[in-house]
Amino acid sequence: MLALREPSSPQAGVTFHQMLERIRYEGAYPTLQRAEDVTRTVLQALGRQLSAEARAELAACLPADAASALADHQPHSGPLTGWGFVKDLATRTDTAPAVARWDTGAVLSVVGRLAGEALITRIIEQLPEGYALLFGRAELVRAA
C-alpha cells in the first residue's frame, strides 16, 4: 500500500502496482484490473490537456507505466474546463458523468500526492477552471 506523506513532498520510488493499489482503494474498485483501466484512461485524457512541458514534469513523478499512459494521448481540439474534461471522459468511456467524475477524482488525487503540491499547483494554474476539484483541492476563484 502507498504510504501517505506530506502533500508538498513528491513520493519517489512508488511502483505502478503500489499506485494502482492506492487508486483501487480510493476509488473502491473491485479489482486491480479495473483500477488500472481507469488509471490509464484518466491519464491519457489528462495528457491531452497538458502542455508538453507539464506532461513531461508530471510523467517524471510517476511510475513508468503511468508516465507512459500520460504520454499516450491523441491531440485534443482545444482546452476543456474541469467539467468539460469529465463530460469528454464520460463520452469516450460510455459512462455516466458521475462515474467519470468519480474515476477522475480517484486517479488524480493519487497522482497529485505522487507529484507533490508545488507541481500540481503549477499544473492547475495552467489549466482552465475546474481542475483543482478534480485533484481534490478547493477551487479558488482567480482574480479578474
Side-chain angles (χ1 to χ4, degrees), residues 18 23 27 29 31-35 37 47 66-67 75-76 95 101 104 111 115 118 122 126 128 133 141:
Q18 290 170 319
I23 290 168
Y29 299 114
T31 66
L32 201 58
Q33 184 60 54
R34 175 71 178 130
D37 294 344
H76 196 273
T95 60
R101 171 61 181 94
T104 300
V111 166
R122 286 195 317 272
Q126 294 175 15
L133 292 173
V141 178

Side-chain angles (χ1 to χ4, degrees), residues 47-59 70-71 73 126:
R48 286 191 289 276
Q49 296 302 307
L50 298 177
S51 67
E53 181 181 320
R55 198 169 39 251
E57 278 188 86
L58 184 55
L70 185 68
H73 69 283
Q126 294 175 15

